[in-house]
Amino acid sequence: MPSAPILLSLFFIFLSAYSHFFLHPALADGVTPEEAKQLRDEVREMFYHAFNGYMDHAFPLDELRPHSCGGEDSLGGYALTLIDALDTLALLGDRDRFAASVEWIGKNLQFNINKTVSVFETTIRVLGGLLSAHLIASDYATGMRIPTYDNQLLNLAEDLGRRLLPAFDTPSGIPFGSVNLMYGVDEHESRITSTAGGGTLSLEFGVLSRLTNDPIFEQVTKNAVRGLWARRSKLNLVGAHINVFTGEWTQKDAGIGTSIDSFYEYLLKAYLLFGDEEYLYIFQEAYAAAMRCLYNDPWYVEVNMDSAAVVWPLFNSLQAFWPGLQVLAGDIDPAIRTHTAFFSVWKRYGFTPEGFNLATFSVQHGQRSYPLRPELMESTYWLYKATRDPKYLDAGREMVASLQYSARCPCGYCHISDVEFHKQEDHMESFFLAETVKYLWLLFDLAVGPDNLVDNGPYKYIFSTEGHLLPATPEISLVQEHCSYFGAYCNTSNIRQDASDVATNPLDNLHGRVGTALPSNSRFSDSTPISGLIKGVCPGLTHGQKFGISYVLPSHRAHEDVSRNQGEQTNAESHSMVVVQSQNSDYSPSQNKNYHEKLVESSEGE
Ligand code: DMJ
């Protein structure tokens, strides 16, 4: 029997924990402007905790082991996390670290190595990281131009791009999944590629073509998309895996998540960045089919691509990018509902598990982990940008709290191997710095200011699937620029030709029937009479319309939303989901004072 003083102490511990978890004022109220600022600064500190941990303990290896404070080569052995983090450094305005890192990479990186790497991962993380940093470092308008910079990263990107090209030499045009950077494709290389792996390369390769004036990169990746789309089912669905020699689907499960996700993403984004209508038309058909066959309001299921029979009633965490993509497409109502559903899973566990079974409403066996994925943060940012509904700031705050309380570990942030027990694993993917903290920081900065390159900078930016910033500069976008930019369209009466227009735009004489980026059966498609894609500027468009994020709640919907906020529950929430309380962890910001020395040391070591 415990003694009275022990019982008393236990009671006070309980009381203190109770107050901390349940009565914390920040949790009871919505995010105030002052708190948004604090959260933005907290996210910045999170970035440095992980970045400095990487630089101190792992660099120049690829990734950090955040628990044991070590490192590992997980992709090609070329300082992957540093490359992936470059444009986040620039976004945070960290001129010194950005410049020092660009300089180190320019001097030390080389791809003439005997390593077999994933074409997809190398493209989105390394090629994309190099290109976005190049576009920032070489341009006065970004405010982050590096005076001594002389295209080193672009040269590296071009070299890497050429080393990836042999992968595209297949009968279907769909690339092999892996390639050796020195010797090309191994004769025993698997001929099976995922749809996302083969169809998510067009942004990086397209930008590379436009910066180097060599069309080959853009051509091969467009050909790969054509190769995949040509093999779509009668329902306009694509499967998950395909044999790049025979063109047969080896995995016929269609969905918006695992193995397919960013295929959809790059169809729309390639159109938005390059103005290439072929991507738009494919996106319209693919999106319509997804909404018809996969959407089970508010969730998405996986179905057989030929019959549309449900094969997996699963939410997988990669699906969480979808509402963000819908914002770009202008289809915001379903985005709002789906985000609410996905976030309810986060609230239940404090993280999203890799798989959540929609039939049993429980974590899918074998898919219990949360490897620090960014997709839900990404959609939260886009929905906040589109609606300015403060509930998205509240959602962001809960995500920060979960990461701080359960994922923070000595030298960075740890994967969670089981969302129910919050067990930490000694790994930190490079996308944590490229995407997860980037979207959180942008979310709160948007609420505060914004004062950042993306939301208040010289160009419109498209985010690659790895969160890299790809600007719509004249060099990249003007070739086929049109005023229907980002999903919004002009009336002819509203057109003013821009003096800076390039006269030879192939879209100039195009007067087809076009609506928004949505399929023609979309409820938004017939709202405005349009007369085609017309190059120029559209003075009648608001900033939001130009970005495809001009969503205004119709008055009855606004009312519904308010009442929902006041107590109505979504389908998902009605499954008695428990909210995981956010908690502040005790940590003190660590500053890496030896950053430059570390770069120099490593550089000398090589
Ligand atoms: C990232 O590498 C990219 O976002 C990719 O499209 C999907 N997987 C991870 C993040 O989860």
Side-chain angles (χ1 to χ4, degrees):
M1 180 80 179
S3 65
I6 292 179
L7 280 175
L8 206 60
S9 323
L10 284 173
F11 172 72
F12 278 118
I13 290 170
F14 167 76
L15 196 64
S16 141
Y18 179 86
S19 327
H20 186 66
F21 294 164
F22 297 103
L23 301 179
H24 195 281
L27 297 176
D29 310 323
V31 172
T32 60
E34 188 47 40
E35 200 189 347
K37 209 163 173 212
Q38 286 165 11
L39 282 161
R40 182 190 61 181
D41 295 344
E42 182 171 356
V43 174
R44 184 189 182 86
E45 189 284 326
M46 289 167 70
F47 173 84
Y48 282 111
H49 173 62
F51 182 77
N52 292 340
Y54 167 74
M55 292 306 298
D56 284 347
H57 304 287
F59 171 80
L61 301 179
D62 281 337
E63 288 179 321
L64 173 68
R65 286 185 181 277
H67 207 276
S68 58
C69 301
E72 59 186 325
D73 272 339
S74 45
L75 196 58
Y78 29 54
L80 171 67
T81 299
L82 184 64
I83 300 173
D84 231 3
L86 284 175
D87 63 357
T88 314
L89 283 170
L91 189 63
L92 295 177
D94 191 339
R95 184 183 301 277
D96 290 348
R97 285 184 177 85
F98 178 65
S101 305
V102 166
E103 191 185 338
W104 184 89
I105 289 168
K107 279 189 185 147
N108 294 282
L109 214 64
Q110 49 165 315
F111 297 115
N112 186 26
I113 49 178
N114 183 7
K115 284 267 167 76
T116 298
V117 297
S118 154
V119 174
F120 168 71
E121 297 293 354
T122 306
T123 298
I124 67 168
R125 301 196 198 202
V126 184
L127 192 56
L130 292 173
L131 288 170
S132 63
H134 160 76
L135 287 159
I136 294 168
S138 58
D139 187 347
Y140 277 110
T142 63
M144 295 297 286
R145 186 176 177 276
I146 302 173
T148 54
Y149 180 72
D150 189 23
N151 289 340
Q152 291 91 339
L153 301 197
L154 178 60
N155 296 337
L156 280 165
E158 183 176 355
D159 178 47
L160 178 60
R162 295 202 185 282
R163 290 173 190 280
L164 297 176
L165 284 179
F168 293 84
D169 188 11
T170 67
S172 66
I174 305 164
F176 283 97
S178 298
V179 64
N180 185 289
L181 291 175
M182 195 180 263
Y183 301 115
V185 179
D186 187 275
E187 59 177 314
H188 301 299
E189 185 53 55
S190 165
R191 295 177 171 188
I192 310 298
T193 293
S194 73
T195 299
T200 313
L201 310 161
S202 38
L203 286 188
E204 293 82 357
F205 276 67
V207 169
L208 188 56
S209 271
R210 291 171 186 221
L211 295 180
T212 58
N213 287 322
D214 185 343
I216 185 68
F217 305 108
E218 191 161 351
Q219 281 166 0
V220 292
T221 50
K222 189 166 178 181
N223 209 26
V225 170
R226 286 175 175 156
L228 287 162
W229 189 239
R231 291 167 177 84
R232 67 193 180 279
S233 73
K234 286 186 178 141
L235 298 172
N236 281 344
L237 294 173
V238 288
H241 290 108
I242 195 164
N243 183 313
V244 299
F245 270 58
T246 65
E248 278 166 28
W249 294 100
T250 57
Q251 227 272 35
K252 292 191 150 204
D253 298 352
I256 59 160
T258 313
S259 301
I260 305 179
D261 49 1
S262 43
F263 168 74
Y264 289 101
E265 180 183 356
Y266 271 30
L267 293 176
L268 181 59
K269 289 184 175 178
Y271 164 67
L272 295 177
L273 189 60
F274 304 132
D276 182 334
E277 279 190 300
E278 187 173 343
Y279 284 111
L280 173 64
Y281 294 142
I282 299 176
F283 175 76
Q284 286 177 317
E285 296 198 342
Y287 182 78
M291 295 307 281
R292 200 171 48 240
C293 304
L294 310 175
Y295 185 41
N296 201 322
D297 190 1
W299 305 96
Y300 289 81
V301 292
E302 289 183 14
V303 305
N304 178 283
M305 63 184 279
D306 295 317
S307 66
V310 175
V311 279
W312 291 108
L314 269 192
F315 156 66
N316 65 65
S317 62
L318 288 168
Q319 294 176 348
F321 83 103
W322 188 260
L325 185 68
Q326 290 181 307
V327 169
L328 280 180
D331 204 4
I332 302 201
D333 278 340
I336 290 172
R337 287 197 297 278
T338 295
H339 181 279
T340 303
F342 290 176
F343 183 56
S344 73
V345 179
W346 180 286
K347 284 196 287 184
R348 183 176 193 177
Y349 299 107
F351 297 105
T352 41
E354 286 291 74
F356 179 76
N357 193 308
L358 300 173
T360 60
F361 262 70
S362 60
V363 177
Q364 177 71 14
H365 180 66
Q367 300 186 25
R368 312 185 65 82
S369 68
Y370 171 68
L372 305 174
R373 287 199 191 282
E375 284 78 4
L376 194 59
M377 290 76 170
E378 177 182 353
S379 286
T380 305
Y381 164 68
W382 279 112
L383 275 165
Y384 180 65
K385 188 163 175 159
T387 66
R388 302 300 165 124
D389 186 331
K391 74 179 178 188
Y392 296 111
L393 297 177
D394 299 348
R397 177 175 62 185
E398 289 208 30
M399 294 175 203
V400 167
S402 291
L403 289 167
Q404 293 287 59
Y405 188 72
S406 294
R408 191 171 174 112
C409 49
C411 295
Y413 288 81
C414 282
H415 283 200
I416 299 298
S417 62
D418 188 321
V419 296
E420 283 187 298
F421 300 102
H422 288 200
K423 200 165 169 293
Q424 294 188 341
E425 207 175 287
D426 196 12
H427 192 58
M428 188 182 88
E429 291 260 7
S430 64
F431 57 66
F432 181 71
L433 294 177
E435 295 189 80
T436 312
V437 286
K438 182 185 278 157
Y439 286 118
L440 283 171
W441 187 85
L442 280 167
L443 171 70
F444 296 118
D445 194 58
L446 197 54
V448 170
D451 184 20
N452 68 67
L453 199 55
V454 172
D455 295 305
N456 197 24
Y459 313 108
K460 285 124 193 170
Y461 280 89
I462 290 290
F463 289 88
S464 78
T465 193
E466 186 73 0
H468 290 308
L469 310 182
L470 301 175
T473 63
E475 198 179 6
I476 292 169
S477 296
L478 204 55
V479 183
Q480 298 186 46
E481 188 212 28
H482 49 75
C483 72
S484 57
Y485 200 68
F486 282 33
Y489 285 79
C490 291
N491 283 308
T492 26
S493 57
N494 226 4
I495 301 298
R496 171 163 58 81
Q497 278 299 122
D498 189 330
S500 65
D501 287 351
V502 177
T504 53
N505 186 337
L507 300 179
D508 275 353
N509 299 321
L510 205 151
H511 292 283
R513 189 216 59 76
V514 252
T516 67
L518 298 172
S520 55
N521 62 358
S522 158
R523 77 197 73 164
F524 293 102
S525 61
D526 56 358
S527 55
T528 315
I530 44 81
S531 46
L533 300 171
I534 304 157
K535 186 168 158 44
V537 292
C538 315
L541 294 182
T542 64
H543 174 81
Q545 283 170 323
K546 285 178 193 158
F547 279 85
I549 53 171
S550 56
Y551 182 69
V552 181
L553 278 178
S555 50
H556 67 281
R557 284 273 309 128
H559 176 74
E560 278 170 21
D561 259 45
V562 171
S563 43
R564 182 180 300 166
N565 284 343
Q566 285 171 346
E568 285 179 24
Q569 290 191 310
T570 62
N571 291 349
E573 284 163 340
S574 68
H575 284 259
S576 65
M577 292 197 168
V578 181
V579 174
V580 174
Q581 302 293 329
S582 52
Q583 298 141 29
N584 294 331
S585 63
D586 295 328
Y587 64 86
S588 51
S590 75
Q591 292 295 326
N592 176 15
K593 298 205 181 73
N594 298 322
Y595 180 73
H596 290 279
E597 290 97 281
K598 178 81 182 166
L599 288 170
V600 172
E601 249 171 48
S602 158
S603 172
E604 284 166 355
E606 304 221 339

